[in-house]
Amino acid sequence: MPDEKEQLQRSWIANAPAWRDAVRERKIDSRRVATDAAIIDAVMSLAPETVLDLGCGEGWLARELSSRNVRVVGVDASRPLVDAAMELGGGSFYAMSYEDVLAAGSPLQAPFDVVVANFSILEEDIGPILTAAGRMLKSGGRFVIQTVHPAFAVGDAAYISGWRTETFAAFDGEWPEPMPWYFRTLTDWVVALSENGFVIAEMREPLDAQRARPLSMIFVCRRA
Ligand SMILES: C[S@@+](CC[C@H](N)C(=O)[O-])C[C@H]1O[C@@H](n2cnc3c(N)ncnc32)[C@H](O)[C@@H]1O
């Protein structure tokens, strides 16, 4: 496993308590202001009966969707986050990486109406998650991805796809491990999706209404 990918998975284990508290205590402004509601809206607009939440973290989205009568399965590589999700319920949760999901073929009560990945595509090689999502979807199903907005998350750095580091310095709490994550330009998103059998059916840009700036990007994808 490349160093960044190993560190990425390690960070979500070491930072699990701080992440769980940040999400559950609604400490992340962008989530409170727009992105939580935006992903619920994007998924519910597809009227799914079943959803697979890839990289479900501590399970907030599964709980929200299940309270709207959706049957949810969540998977995440971080065992402590999956344990936290299981404590509050709202779905069936499994400690599995995207590679594990892919290697397992078609388990987990597949196929699903919608597969969702909410800020959980963080690696350079996104072939495994896209292939897994494609296999787990019903015919006509949708893969909904929320990610940082390529044009705004770039900050002062060069607009070139590559690894970046999140130190969580702006967050409250104890974050023992920095998280490497792969920044992708808009073009590289479109190319990666298309190389793995998806086309974008719809794009949404959830806004910070006060500043009139997008806080994220949502891709609603269908199989090509
Ligand atoms: C920013 S958190 C988002 C969690 C959740 N989707 C949410 O909205 O709160 C990213 C999540 O992706 C998971 N993740 C990242 N890479 C993964 C992989 N290769 N396999 C499984 N989970 C992964 C991490 O463990 C972490 O829980």
Side-chain angles (χ1 to χ4, degrees), residues 5-41:
K5 188 168 168 181
E6 210 174 299
Q7 173 63 20
L8 169 58
Q9 295 199 2
R10 197 166 43 236
S11 76
W12 288 107
I13 294 169
N15 297 327
W19 178 255
R20 178 202 59 212
D21 293 349
V23 173
R24 292 189 180 171
E25 293 165 26
R26 300 190 56 77
K27 292 179 182 169
I28 306 172
D29 289 348
S30 54
R31 290 189 160 219
R32 235 183 12 250
V33 169
T35 66
D36 281 0
I39 193 71
I40 293 169
D41 206 50

Side-chain angles (χ1 to χ4, degrees), residues 9 12 31 55-57 60 76-77 81 97-98 118-120 123:
Q9 295 199 2
W12 288 107
R31 290 189 160 219
C56 61
W60 78 271
D76 199 286
L81 286 175
S97 70
Y98 308 142
N118 192 49
F119 296 111
S120 52
E123 293 167 11

Side-chain angles (χ1 to χ4, degrees), residues 29-30 33 152 207-215:
D29 289 348
S30 54
V33 169
F152 289 85
L207 274 191
D208 175 344
Q210 273 193 335
R211 297 175 57 230
R213 288 277 185 281
L215 290 170

